[in-house]
Amino acid sequence: MFNELSIWVVEEGLDYAVQIFSELNIVRGGPNMLHAELLGIRRLLNHTIPWDFCILLSEQDYPLRGNAVLAEYLWVHRGTSFVSVDEGECERDVSYQCGDRVVSLSGGVQYPKIPGMRYASGSQWFAITYQLAAVIGTHLSNSSTIVGTILHDLITVKQPDESFFQAVVLNSEFCSRYSDYTLHWTDKDSMREVRSLTSEYNIMSPGVLIFPRDVAKVSEVRDKSLWAFFARKFDNSLQSTQLKDSLDKLSKQNSRKVWTRVQKHQVPALWRSLARLTQVLASSFADVVSVDRLQRNVDGLFHVQTLQLQLGHGRTTLLLREKLAMPSRSSSLLALRIGCDWNKTDLVFDGDVSAVASSSSGLYSCPSLWAIVHWQMSKKPVSEDLLLVWIDPGGTPMQHAPIKISEHSVLVWHRYTATQPLSPGEWTLEVQSMEQGILARRTFFVYREPSQIPWHKVKEFFDVLPS
């Protein structure tokens, strides 16, 4: 297998990014699984390619969605590690690996815990940030640090790979910067206890996903569990390969870009203010021939409005991509958006975003104004009362709107219902918490005529990119 992988890397021209190494004898349930993960992290930290997330995968995992959707999901969750944490359930049966076998030295008796240390167990599969990986890689060999202490403590107990990252998260500054939803989905209904020939421990393992038995189950996960980007487990059998082929087909189909032609009156702000935009970017004035809006990828949840503009001068094409307002500090609130005509079915704004018309009718209009809050999922029961405060250009709060957050509040929307037409100028929306103060702030611009929109506001609210 090592030789096959090495040849594959060379043939595919991937040696600039992919490293193949084999240094450890890994026996399930023993310490070398964790050692291999930590060795991989150290290699990544020394790699020349910059990265933001490290995701643990096995040969029995397979992607459920396209890479672009995963990148979008991780971008919105930047700074957040994904580690499954079941606090207090860490098994501490002292074990030892001897050759190809892992044996118990304590007969199931729990090894004493370090006073004050928070322990947990959970899924082996994780996706951690560069920052967390760097802390682990830097302090791993120093037993006087919390990371080194945890490694020294856990490396002699059963399956340390299912408790090390959990303990590091709980006992470090990253305790407020993780999600207990991992990126993996496992068929819990097919879990069974497996007696390994190389271990004294019985291990729970899911059944192999095959076609056509598991098609409906996997399809439901793709439709309803938008946090799941990998499924397990698969093998190289014909039926399992057929299911993987069907996943490839769905991912490719759903990741295909679909553009919808937008009428001039539907995006007046961007349409009419492009004289200034094209002057800066194309060094000349140009007429906007057409505008197309990118439809939301059905596999994705964190879609941002993207417009493709065809300019008459030289047939130049530009992309205008909405910027999200992100919280200034660590929070379960991920992003905040403002726009017109929220489509509750497709989960997109059918009208302008960030720069909106003051009136709800007429040539330049915003029939309904909405605030959209993206929130981080949680497995633990969550109930929090927050306040949305709409503030006009003069600093006067125009509406206070209470919203309730639960563990299922992945996407929360609220319609502005106070006085209209809106006062022209820069407005502010704040999300406030009784305990933490202001969680996030989004400014947006209200205009009567598109010519009122300052160029610096276009740059503040949108990324302008070549097509």
Side-chain angles (χ1 to χ4, degrees):
M1 179 60 72
F2 179 84
N3 289 333
E4 288 180 5
L5 287 171
S6 301
I7 294 171
W8 169 75
V9 167
V10 174
E11 290 180 344
E12 295 293 330
L14 296 174
D15 50 329
Y16 72 96
V18 178
Q19 297 182 10
I20 306 296
F21 63 95
S22 178
E23 299 183 18
L24 298 163
N25 177 27
I26 298 176
V27 180
R28 194 170 181 183
N32 277 354
M33 180 68 78
L34 175 59
H35 283 310
E37 295 168 4
L38 297 176
L39 181 57
I41 288 174
R42 281 174 163 169
R43 284 174 172 261
L44 284 175
L45 290 171
N46 292 325
H47 207 287
T48 57
I49 295 178
W51 53 275
D52 298 309
F53 283 89
C54 163
I55 303 175
L56 177 65
L57 300 172
S58 82
E59 78 283 4
Q60 293 184 314
D61 300 337
Y62 207 75
L64 291 170
R65 313 180 196 283
N67 287 342
V69 183
L70 172 60
E72 179 184 82
Y73 188 86
L74 293 178
W75 177 76
V76 176
H77 283 85
R78 58 187 181 273
T80 300
S81 292
F82 298 84
V83 181
S84 175
V85 175
D86 298 316
E87 194 166 359
E89 298 180 4
C90 177
E91 293 188 35
R92 295 177 60 77
D93 187 354
V94 178
S95 68
Y96 179 75
Q97 180 175 334
C98 180
D100 292 330
R101 185 169 176 78
V102 176
V103 298
S104 170
L105 296 182
S106 60
V109 176
Q110 298 300 296
Y111 184 64
K113 296 181 178 180
I114 297 177
M117 183 76 72
R118 296 175 66 186
Y119 291 91
S121 60
S123 170
Q124 172 190 5
W125 313 108
F126 62 76
I128 61 174
T129 62
Y130 178 90
Q131 292 76 16
L132 176 53
V135 168
I136 291 174
T138 302
H139 300 297
L140 200 58
S141 302
N142 188 347
S143 59
S144 65
T145 64
I146 189 65
V147 173
T149 299
I150 291 171
L151 178 64
H152 185 266
D153 176 51
L154 293 178
I155 206 65
T156 55
V157 302
K158 170 188 174 184
Q159 290 185 277
D161 56 302
E162 295 188 353
S163 55
F164 173 79
F165 292 94
Q166 287 79 0
V168 170
V169 163
L170 290 179
N171 294 280
S172 68
E173 68 270 25
F174 298 95
C175 61
S176 62
R177 295 157 60 187
Y178 80 94
S179 169
D180 52 12
Y181 270 90
T182 66
L183 306 181
H184 278 72
W185 171 81
T186 302
D187 183 12
K188 297 294 193 299
D189 295 336
S190 68
M191 296 288 284
R192 67 189 189 281
E193 194 171 62
V194 177
R195 179 69 176 181
S196 173
L197 297 177
T198 60
S199 173
E200 292 188 3
Y201 302 111
N202 290 341
I203 297 171
M204 298 298 293
S205 180
V208 174
L209 297 167
I210 63 174
F211 183 92
R213 183 191 67 195
D214 296 310
V215 169
K217 190 175 294 185
V218 174
S219 297
E220 184 178 12
V221 173
R222 293 186 81 264
D223 291 339
K224 297 182 179 180
S225 301
L226 297 183
W227 51 266
F229 288 87
F230 303 95
R232 66 185 323 270
K233 60 184 185 177
F234 296 86
D235 62 15
N236 291 326
S237 67
L238 176 59
Q239 289 175 305
S240 194
T241 300
Q242 287 177 321
L243 183 53
K244 289 187 284 188
D245 289 343
S246 70
L247 287 172
D248 283 346
K249 184 177 180 180
L250 280 173
S251 295
K252 184 176 181 180
Q253 174 182 314
N254 289 349
S255 62
R256 187 179 299 115
K257 289 186 177 181
V258 178
W259 298 88
T260 302
R261 182 57 49 89
V262 180
Q263 300 300 317
K264 289 188 178 183
H265 69 275
Q266 290 181 286
V267 283
L270 299 176
W271 193 286
R272 296 303 179 97
S273 65
L274 273 201
R276 258 168 293 181
L277 175 62
T278 54
Q279 184 180 25
V280 174
L281 295 175
S283 301
S284 65
F285 287 92
D287 293 327
V288 179
V289 177
S290 63
V291 176
D292 296 279
R293 180 185 286 117
L294 182 63
Q295 292 184 2
R296 185 177 76 90
N297 188 313
V298 296
D299 282 346
L301 183 62
F302 298 101
H303 172 80
V304 296
Q305 189 177 102
T306 303
L307 301 176
Q308 181 175 260
L309 297 100
Q310 187 76 38
L311 309 182
H313 179 76
R315 309 300 288 182
T316 303
T317 301
L318 295 176
L319 294 179
L320 264 66
R321 186 175 61 195
E322 171 195 8
K323 292 181 181 179
L324 300 182
M326 317 296 283
S328 57
R329 52 192 169 83
S330 179
S331 170
S332 295
L333 191 154
L334 300 173
L336 185 59
R337 307 170 66 200
I338 301 291
C340 301
D341 297 344
W342 177 249
N343 186 322
K344 298 178 184 178
T345 301
D346 297 332
L347 302 180
V348 294
F349 286 114
D350 287 333
D352 290 346
V353 298
S354 302
V356 302
S358 60
S359 176
S360 59
S361 60
L363 178 60
Y364 308 126
S365 64
C366 180
S368 61
L369 180 63
W370 296 81
I372 306 301
V373 180
H374 291 285
W375 202 263
Q376 182 175 290
M377 294 183 297
S378 175
K379 289 182 180 178
K380 300 175 182 177
V382 174
S383 181
E384 186 174 358
D385 293 318
L386 302 177
L387 195 64
L388 296 180
V389 183
W390 301 76
I391 304 170
D392 74 4
T396 303
M398 298 300 293
Q399 184 173 1
H400 293 78
I403 59 172
K404 182 175 285 293
I405 296 296
S406 73
E407 62 270 23
H408 306 297
S409 299
V410 181
L411 199 61
V412 179
W413 51 81
H414 170 264
R415 181 176 180 177
Y416 176 80
T417 57
T419 306
Q420 289 185 312
L422 304 174
S423 302
E426 182 174 283
W427 282 63
T428 303
L429 176 69
E430 293 180 349
V431 181
Q432 300 180 1
S433 165
M434 290 292 292
E435 292 78 19
Q436 304 178 57
I438 298 174
L439 298 181
R441 181 183 285 115
R442 162 94 273 184
T443 61
F444 61 101
F445 194 83
V446 176
Y447 65 90
R448 286 198 182 98
E449 295 284 338
S451 59
Q452 296 175 338
I453 304 173
W455 165 240
H456 71 271
K457 285 299 170 187
V458 176
K459 292 193 293 182
E460 179 182 335
F461 298 142
F462 299 92
D463 286 317
V464 184
L465 309 169
S467 178

